[in-house]
Each structure stands twice: as C-alpha cells, then as structure tokens.
Amino acid sequence: MDQEKHTETFMTKLSRFIVDKRKAFYLVFLAAFLFCAASINKVEINNDITSYLPPETETRRGLTLMDEEFVTLGSAEVMVSNIPLDTAWDLSHKLEILPGVSGVTFDETNDHYHDSAALFSVTFDAPEDDPEAVTALQAVQDALEGYDVYVSTQVGRDESASLQKEMTVILAIAAAVIVVVLLFTSKSYMEVPVYLIVFAAAAVLNMGTNFIFGTISFITNSIAVVLQLALAIDYAIIFCHRYMEERDNGLDPREADIASLSKAIVEISSSSLTTISGLVALMLMQLRIGFDMGIVLAKGIVCSMLCVFLLMPGLLMLFSRPIERTRHKNLVPNIDFWGRGVVKLRYILPPIFLLVLVAGAVLSSKCEYVFDTNDADFDNKPDWRIADEKVTDTFGKKNTIAVLVPRGDYEKEKMVLQQVEALGPVTSATGLANIEVEDGRVLTDALTPRQFSELAGVDIELCRLLYQAYGLSVEEYGAIFQNPNDYAVPLIDVFEFLLEQKDKGVVNLTGDQEEKVEDLREELDLGLEQLRGENWSRLVFVADIPTEGEETYALLDQIRAIAQAQYGDDVILVGNSTNAFDLASSFSGDNMKISVLTALFVMVILLFTFKSAGLPILLVLTIQGSIWINFSIPVLTDTNLFFLSYLVVSSIQMGATIDYAIVITNRYLELKGAMGRKEAAVAALSQSFPTVLTSGTIMAVAGFLIGSISTDATIGSVGQALGRGTVTSIFLVMTVLPQMLVLGDALIERTAITLNRDRKQRFNQGTMRLDGHVRGHVAGFVDGEFKGVIHGSVDALIESKYQEPDRSQEEDKT
C-alpha cells in the first residue's frame, strides 16, 4: 500500500487530500458562503453605459463636465390623446400649479396639439434622480387620471430594479428547466441536489466577491448568474459522470471519488480554458463594459471550478448512499441511428456547409448594428418604451443635443443659437442668450440704468449708483464717469450684482421692489443652474431627427462647425447621438479584436490539447460558422441588432460552445484506434450526446429565457442571440463536425505534433515493463493508465514515464 501511494501521480495525491479533508473544506466554504452572502449588497450597480466609454471620447468628457458644472432638472413629455383643444388648455393650467412643477409648455401649434392629441412639456423643480421630481411626476399622473395618457421621461425610471425582478423570474424558470434536464440525463436522482448545492455556492461566491471591483454594470449584474449557470454547470456534470463510472467499475465511494477527481481536474481545467479565453478577449474591448462583463464572468468560472474541485467531492461522499439508492435506468436514448445517417451524408453536408459558411460570412458582415437601445428592434418592450414610441409617432422625434462652450461671451452664444436654430431639423434652441425676460428682450441684452430700473422695478437713482458700483468692480472706469446714463451692462450681470449687494446689506429695497426682485431671482436661478457653469455655458438644441444614422451625424458636424467658427476647437457636443457615434467608432475596432483574439486563443489551446495543427482549424471553423449563421438571421429577417449583443455573444459562443466540439472530437480520437473511422464517428456521437444535450440545453434555455422575459433591449438581445447561437452550434457539431473528422482524418494525422518521441513506442509482440498510458490493441483494445508488465501481442501508443524491455521472463525460461 505504501509503495502504491509512493508511486501515485500528483493529481491522485491532491485528490486524496481533498477527499480526506472534506470536513475542513465544508467549514471553509460555509464561512466563505456567509461572508459573500453578506457582501452582495455592498456591490454598487452602474446603470449608465456611457460611463464605460474611454475617457478621451467627446461624450465622456462632456458628461463629466455637465455633472461637475450644471444641474439638469427633470422633465417629461406628457401626451394626452382624444381631447379637444379647450380641454388641453384647461389641463395645461391645471398642471402648472401642481407642487414640484416649475413650468409647462403648451400652445396651439402642431408641435403641441394636433389630431386631438395634446403634448405638454413639463419641467420639474428638482433633478430627474431626485425623489421630489418623482413625487411631482406622480402628481402629474394623478391629475390626468381618467385620460388616455402617455408619459415619456427619465424621471422615476429604475431599470436596474426592473431587471432584477425579471432576472429573478428567469433564474427560477431556468432552475426548474435545469432540474428536469439533469433528472433526464443523470444516473441517479440524488445527483441533482449535489448539482444545485454546488451551483448555489459558486453563484453566491461570485456575486459576493464583486465588491472588490467597487462598481459593476447593470448588464453584468443582471445576466452574470444565469450565464455562470449556463457556462459552468457542465463542470459538475463531467465530475459526477466520472464518479458514477468509477462506481460502476466496482470502486468504493472514497476511491471512486479520488479516481474521478484526479481525472476531472485536468479535463475540466482544459475545458474551462476555451471559455475563459473568450472572456479574456471580451475584457480587451475599448469599451470598458467588456472588461466589466469579462472579469466578472471569468471569476464566476473560477468560483465554479473551485466549488467542483473542493466542495463537490465531499458532497458526493456525503450523498453516496442516497445516490446509490436512487439510481434509475438511463433515460437518454441511443442515437446510433443519427450517427449512421450523418456518416452516410458525409459527402453531401460538408459542401453545403461550406456554401452556407461563405453565405453566413457575407450576410453577417451586412448586419445592421445600432448603438442606442431605443433604436433596437426588440419586441418585448417595457411600458415606458411604448410611451416613448407613442409620443414620437404622434409629435416626431425629440433628439436633444447639448453644446458646451467657454463661458462669458454672450454675443458668440447668441450667434451660435441663431445659426443652429436656423438648421432644418432643429425645432428649438435654448441658451442664456435667447431666454426672454419680456417681449423682445433676452437675459443677456445690455441695458442702461433706466432700462434696468423699468424692468426690475428699482428706483432710477439706486440703479445709477448700482451701475457705478458695478463699473468699479469690473474696472470699467471710463464708461461710468463719462456718461453713466449711457453705460450698458448685460442684464444677467447687473442683476446678479444687485442680488449680491442686497445679500450683503449694501442695497435695501422696498416691499414691492423686494418682491419683484425675488421673483426675478427665482426665474434666473432656474436658468443659470442649467445653462451656466463655472467655466462653461450650455446651449441645448432639440431636433426632429433619429438618434443615429448618417443624417444625424451630418447634423452634428454642422452644429460643431457653427460653434467652432466662434470658439475654435474648444467645443464639446453631448447627447444620445454623440454617445451613439462614439460607440460606433469603438465598435469596429472592438469587433475585429474580439473575433481575432477569441479564435486565436481557442486555436492555441486546442493545438496543445490535441497536438495537431489541422484539428483546431476544423473545430474553430465549425463554431465560427455557427457564429456567422447566427448573425445572418437579423439580415434575413430585416431587423437590426444592438452592437453589444454581437460583441458579448460572439466571444461567449466561441469560447463556450466549442466545448461540445471538443467532447465529440475526444471521443472520436479515442475510439478510432479500436474501430474504423466511420464506426468511431457513430459511437462518438452516441456517447457524447448526453453531455452535449445537457450542457447545450441549459445554455440555450438560459439564452431564450433572457430574450423572452427581459424587457431591456440590451439584455434581451444578448439572450436571443446566445440562445440562437447555442442551438446553431449544437446542430453543427452533431452533424457537420463528425463528417469533417472522418473526411479530414488524413489531415489530422499528417499535422500531428508528437512531443517526447523517445517516450512513445509502438511494438508488435514481446514483454514490456512500463509506468504510463497505453492506447491501442493489447489482445483487445486498451486505453488506460498502467504500472506493471505487458506481455503478448501489442499494437499501441505508449506514453510512459518508465519503459524498458523485461528480460526476466526470458531468463527464467532458459
């Protein structure tokens, strides 16, 4: 026994340690589980996809400046259908006096009333993320109760909370489906609780450790658990199937656990590398949300492997008796008939596949990608998106574009506002230089002391003194001493100076003057918070134009050119359209990077796994074909695709579904040494079917559930594409791949890379002492680990740590 332990491999020793110390691992995992469960709420969720843009992009710079220097008050476009004009006016007045509402824009033009539908542009007193704005919006909705109302707004829209509710439902349904699939493909009913415990532990470990990143995106937070389940549950399945095989071979639970773990560690680690490589490629995206998703999912794979390697062996020992007592007959049908049919079509399907492959590559390159979720063709729409589309269909698109320019020059601002407003698609322009304080007079107009006295209701003598003090403060001595009555100062500047002096107690106003000045102060503060920062001014334009597209980007160029004519390059455009443009600019590079790196990483892993240069090409070609076919569907159905769906799914589909191809290929290579190529292909398909069925069904179900239940276009389109891609991959590896293996067998053999040739040998007969692996015929086919002596007729590939002819038996005979 001591001699046996002494000659054990490292993996066997490690497995024996894990199994024998299982109670210690129970305690470690229990402590880790409790800690991570308590840490889940510490993870901050980021709902803003623009925050993942590279910091040098125009959108990211502009949004940072706007957060630092401006306040964006909440607003809502409220459409009431099927009402006469008189009723619309009454409702407008009713909304204006509601608490929390700072203003309501409504008139009789087509912009606000036509076809018996009224559009009220409501502005609130608080920012859109402030609870006061949410309360005011609720008051508006209550005031319009009983009418046919559609509200388009960002106020009170908590997409993260909605997603979490949806994903809870998705996870519950997915869990139920997975239990059914596992019961169908398992050998014992008590395997299923083991799977569920292992996955629950892995999921909590992954979610709880996300706090080390501080913040993760709402996309990652929503789909990570389901994708972790789909990507990693086959690790537990591989290990459990190995365990059941060892038990069937007569080993007791402990020895079966050790033997199966020693084999599963290598097999699962190799399998996980292709999945992780796809996620690593995702992490290298220029758009940092790829890193966010990649690192969290990769960590999930690691957590799943740790639970399978360290926790599951103990669970199998703990449940060993119930597992034996609840064994049932194999429910997975034998599909030899399928394999024989596939082999018969080996000269027909591959040429068709190559034609489809080329067509898929061409069509997928023509797929129309969109970069704003509101533009994605996605049928499962939330209520707020239905309202947005209803308002847009009735009153046209309201695309808001903000332009940031250096603060201070009101004449330049006025020129930009006038020229941009004159552009065809622009329906409104707002800035300090065009806000009217009375008919024909705007906030930045230069006023004399008398004009200001009449406007503000302040005594003329006081105004003259005020102007003189202002002139002294800005060192404009000549103007105030030559003729103070002609000294003109922008209204906004002199009014702010008046308020400053009033607050200091230098200027005292009468009751009526005080009331009028305070009213003006309230209106002024409202505009200044939104339109003027410490160093920048904000000009806001609304255009009846789509969020993205050539026409939109041409308008952005026109607006930028007009502003740069006044300010040079010191101009920044911000809005959904600039965000879409920046995302589109990064997409082409990210697309190429992910496609090339994922394929390259996977091919390198396969090269070392199979030690053949030709085999990785066949496998990658099969899965790449499924990716091209997958993303040809939107072209054939004349629908667009949200760009992030392609980037995420293409990397996951290549990294994860190639495992199905690896399973079949491994079986084929093992079997063809004992039988012909065609028979090996048939047997490989039949033996691999339970694994591919289990893992593939779980992945496809997870994808389709996300796509059908989620109302978020980003999440939903990822789910649809993932489910569709998984089904495509399964179909190709179960049909085309075996045919390519049979037809390409010569290529596989000729491109084989044989390492350590001196430790491999084929011989026909004799006696050989060895310690290693034998695959081939030894008076019957053998494939396994051996330590001892082989004597007889042998035609096998031997990989042995110790190998030499045994002369002792020959000497005994003499």
Side-chain angles (χ1 to χ4, degrees):
M1 185 69 175
D2 292 338
Q3 178 65 22
E4 181 182 340
K5 287 187 177 181
H6 181 71
T7 58
E8 283 180 345
T9 64
F10 170 76
M11 283 301 172
T12 303
K13 291 180 181 178
L14 177 62
S15 301
R16 190 178 299 280
F17 172 81
I18 293 171
V19 172
D20 290 343
K21 302 297 181 182
R22 57 187 178 278
K23 292 182 180 179
F25 284 113
Y26 289 157
L27 295 176
V28 171
F29 274 96
L30 178 61
F33 182 91
L34 294 175
F35 173 79
C36 290
S39 300
I40 291 175
N41 291 331
K42 296 179 182 178
V43 182
E44 294 184 16
I45 309 303
N46 184 356
N47 294 318
D48 182 14
I49 192 174
T50 62
S51 63
Y52 294 96
L53 284 167
E56 66 273 8
T57 58
E58 185 176 34
T59 300
R60 186 64 263 151
R61 290 187 296 125
L63 290 172
T64 301
L65 284 174
M66 290 205 301
D67 287 341
E68 293 174 351
E69 299 207 3
F70 300 97
V71 172
T72 302
L73 296 180
S75 63
E77 296 291 325
V78 182
M79 187 179 83
V80 182
S81 300
N82 305 313
I83 59 172
L85 182 58
D86 290 344
T87 303
W89 277 115
D90 292 341
L91 291 177
S92 173
H93 299 318
K94 184 179 180 180
L95 297 179
E96 282 180 333
I97 61 174
L98 291 176
V101 174
S102 63
V104 176
T105 302
F106 177 76
D107 54 40
E108 298 181 19
T109 65
N110 284 336
D111 290 338
H112 289 278
Y113 185 86
H114 67 79
D115 297 333
S116 298
L119 182 66
F120 305 106
S121 299
V122 182
T123 306
F124 303 110
D125 289 332
E128 61 187 29
D129 56 352
D130 193 303
E132 291 184 12
V134 178
T135 303
L137 175 63
Q138 187 59 52
V140 169
Q141 293 174 316
D142 292 342
L144 298 174
E145 188 175 358
Y147 292 96
D148 192 5
V149 181
Y150 300 90
V151 181
S152 176
T153 182
Q154 290 287 336
V155 175
R157 188 186 297 176
D158 190 351
E159 296 178 42
S160 178
S162 300
L163 273 175
Q164 284 303 103
K165 292 179 182 177
E166 293 170 356
M167 296 312 295
T168 301
V169 174
I170 290 169
L171 188 59
I173 298 175
V177 172
I178 288 166
V179 168
V180 172
V181 172
L182 292 176
L183 287 172
F184 181 74
T185 58
S186 65
K187 292 184 178 181
S188 168
Y189 294 123
M190 282 306 294
E191 291 178 25
V192 177
V194 175
Y195 291 140
L196 296 180
I197 293 171
V198 170
F199 174 71
V204 171
L205 289 181
N206 192 36
M207 289 189 292
T209 51
N210 284 335
F211 77 90
I212 62 179
F213 305 125
T215 302
I216 64 172
S217 73
F218 74 100
I219 299 174
T220 304
N221 184 61
S222 300
I223 64 177
V225 175
V226 179
L227 286 185
Q228 182 185 355
L229 171 59
L231 292 171
I233 198 169
D234 54 338
Y235 303 154
I237 294 171
I238 290 171
F239 178 30
C240 194
H241 283 182
R242 284 282 189 184
Y243 171 79
M244 297 301 287
E245 288 175 7
E246 297 297 340
R247 293 286 284 135
D248 290 341
N249 289 337
L251 294 181
D252 63 62
R254 177 175 172 274
E255 290 302 320
D257 212 1
I258 295 169
S260 58
L261 181 60
S262 65
K263 297 173 183 177
I265 288 176
V266 177
E267 187 175 352
I268 292 171
S269 299
S270 300
S271 175
S272 69
L273 285 177
T274 56
T275 305
I276 292 175
S277 66
L279 298 174
V280 169
L282 192 63
M283 291 164 59
L284 297 176
M285 282 174 55
Q286 183 182 3
L287 183 64
R288 299 306 291 166
I289 197 169
F291 180 86
D292 181 83
M293 294 188 68
I295 193 70
V296 171
L297 288 175
K299 179 164 62 66
I301 299 296
V302 173
C303 289
S304 296
M305 287 197 296
L306 288 176
C307 288
V308 170
F309 294 158
L310 303 178
L311 176 62
M312 192 171 176
L315 294 176
L316 289 175
M317 288 288 292
L318 185 65
F319 286 88
S320 60
R321 290 182 180 177
I323 288 174
E324 287 300 314
R325 287 199 299 265
T326 58
R327 277 180 175 265
H328 58 80
K329 62 182 260 185
N330 187 11
L331 301 176
V332 180
N334 185 292
I335 61 164
D336 281 351
F337 70 93
W338 176 269
R340 288 192 292 270
V342 165
V343 171
K344 285 181 181 178
L345 296 174
R346 65 187 181 279
Y347 295 113
I348 299 174
L349 285 185
I352 295 175
F353 169 68
L354 291 177
L355 291 175
V356 173
L357 188 73
V358 174
V362 173
L363 287 174
S364 63
S365 68
K366 299 181 183 298
C367 185
E368 179 187 355
Y369 298 102
V370 294
F371 302 89
D372 186 276
T373 53
N374 294 326
D375 293 333
D377 291 331
F378 186 66
D379 295 331
N380 197 20
K381 301 172 184 176
D383 292 340
W384 62 263
R385 187 172 175 187
I386 294 173
D388 286 351
E389 292 180 353
K390 189 72 174 177
V391 173
T392 298
D393 292 342
T394 307
F395 288 97
K397 185 76 175 178
K398 292 187 179 296
N399 187 355
T400 302
I401 303 166
V403 180
L404 304 184
V405 297
R407 168 183 166 174
D409 196 323
Y410 301 129
E411 285 301 315
K412 289 183 178 180
E413 288 185 31
K414 186 175 182 180
M415 290 290 294
V416 173
L417 288 166
Q418 289 176 345
Q419 292 179 33
V420 173
E421 192 172 19
L423 297 175
V426 178
T427 57
S428 72
T430 305
L432 291 178
N434 72 351
I435 295 180
E436 286 194 357
V437 291
E438 63 178 20
D439 291 342
R441 183 166 289 164
V442 299
L443 199 56
T444 57
D445 281 348
L447 303 184
T448 63
R450 180 167 296 280
Q451 290 171 323
F452 180 73
S453 171
E454 295 171 354
L455 176 67
V458 180
D459 182 74
I460 182 63
E461 293 302 325
L462 178 59
C463 285
R464 290 194 181 101
L465 291 174
L466 181 69
Y467 269 60
Q468 286 179 326
Y470 176 83
L472 290 172
S473 69
V474 296
E475 300 182 352
E476 294 181 352
Y477 306 116
I480 60 173
F481 288 119
Q482 288 177 1
N483 189 352
N485 289 326
D486 295 334
Y487 182 35
V489 177
L491 169 59
I492 186 174
D493 292 342
V494 72
F495 188 74
E496 283 189 296
F497 186 72
L498 169 63
L499 295 175
E500 181 183 332
Q501 300 306 308
K502 174 180 173 294
D503 292 340
K504 289 180 179 179
V506 176
V507 175
N508 294 313
L509 303 176
T510 62
D512 292 341
Q513 292 175 340
E514 174 95 14
E515 184 178 347
K516 189 167 185 180
V517 166
E518 287 302 320
D519 289 342
L520 288 172
R521 182 208 287 260
E522 187 176 339
E523 292 181 21
L524 180 64
D525 287 346
L526 208 60
L528 290 181
E529 286 180 340
Q530 299 182 81
L531 299 175
R532 193 182 71 180
E534 183 178 351
N535 302 299
W536 296 81
S537 288
R538 178 163 63 175
L539 315 178
V540 181
F541 304 99
V542 177
D544 183 6
I545 200 169
T547 305
E548 53 190 300
E550 294 302 321
E551 182 186 5
T552 302
Y553 299 148
L555 177 63
L556 293 180
D557 290 339
Q558 287 180 290
I559 295 174
R560 186 179 288 106
I562 290 171
Q564 288 179 340
Q566 301 294 330
Y567 292 96
D569 292 335
D570 214 4
V571 172
I572 300 175
L573 272 62
V574 191
N576 288 337
S577 292
T578 60
N579 177 38
F581 180 80
D582 286 335
L583 291 174
S585 299
S586 67
F587 172 69
S588 57
D590 284 338
N591 181 15
M592 181 63 68
K593 185 187 300 181
I594 286 179
S595 300
V596 172
L597 289 180
T598 302
L600 184 62
F601 290 159
V602 169
M603 287 189 71
V604 170
I605 293 168
L606 295 178
L607 179 65
F608 282 95
T609 300
F610 293 110
K611 298 182 178 67
S612 170
L615 195 53
I617 296 175
L618 296 179
L619 269 60
V620 169
L621 193 64
T622 304
I623 302 302
Q624 185 60 56
S626 71
I627 293 173
W628 283 332
I629 294 170
N630 185 14
F631 292 105
S632 298
I633 303 300
V635 180
L636 297 174
T637 56
D638 195 26
T639 55
N640 61 38
L641 184 70
F642 188 57
F643 81 104
L644 200 58
S645 304
Y646 177 81
L647 295 176
V648 172
V649 173
S650 61
S651 62
I652 291 179
Q653 188 177 343
M654 173 61 79
T657 63
I658 202 164
D659 285 352
Y660 312 152
I662 293 173
V663 168
I664 293 173
T665 303
N666 265 327
R667 292 284 185 177
Y668 171 77
L669 293 177
E670 290 175 2
L671 294 169
K672 76 168 186 174
M675 57 186 74
R677 291 176 300 171
K678 291 186 288 185
E679 293 77 9
V682 173
L685 275 179
S686 186
Q687 293 178 21
S688 304
F689 179 62
T691 303
V692 175
L693 174 67
T694 307
S695 182
T697 301
I698 291 171
M699 177 81 84
V701 166
F704 286 130
L705 280 175
I706 293 171
S708 60
I709 294 177
S710 177
T711 56
D712 183 274
T714 305
I715 306 296
S717 58
V718 167
Q720 285 180 346
L722 183 61
R724 190 173 61 222
T726 302
V727 171
T728 308
S729 295
I730 292 173
F731 178 77
L732 290 183
V733 299
M734 292 295 292
T735 54
V736 176
L737 179 63
Q739 299 168 341
M740 295 175 68
L741 291 175
V742 172
L743 296 176
D745 191 74
L747 173 66
I748 296 171
E749 291 293 334
R750 289 173 184 171
T751 58
I753 302 171
T754 306
L755 303 177
N756 300 325
R757 289 181 181 275
D758 57 323
R759 296 169 70 179
K760 296 183 179 182
Q761 178 179 342
R762 285 185 183 273
F763 63 95
N764 293 323
Q765 60 183 4
T767 303
M768 176 67 65
R769 185 183 299 278
L770 57 87
D771 178 8
H773 188 87
V774 178
R775 182 165 70 89
H777 294 272
V778 184
F781 183 74
V782 173
D783 184 356
E785 302 292 332
F786 293 92
K787 180 177 177 60
V789 177
I790 291 180
H791 178 75
S793 176
V794 179
D795 181 9
L797 180 65
I798 299 173
E799 297 179 344
S800 178
K801 301 171 187 174
Y802 172 80
Q803 171 183 321
E804 67 175 16
D806 191 332
R807 306 295 183 189
S808 60
Q809 295 185 27
E810 296 177 7
E811 291 173 359
D812 291 341
K813 290 179 181 179
T814 58

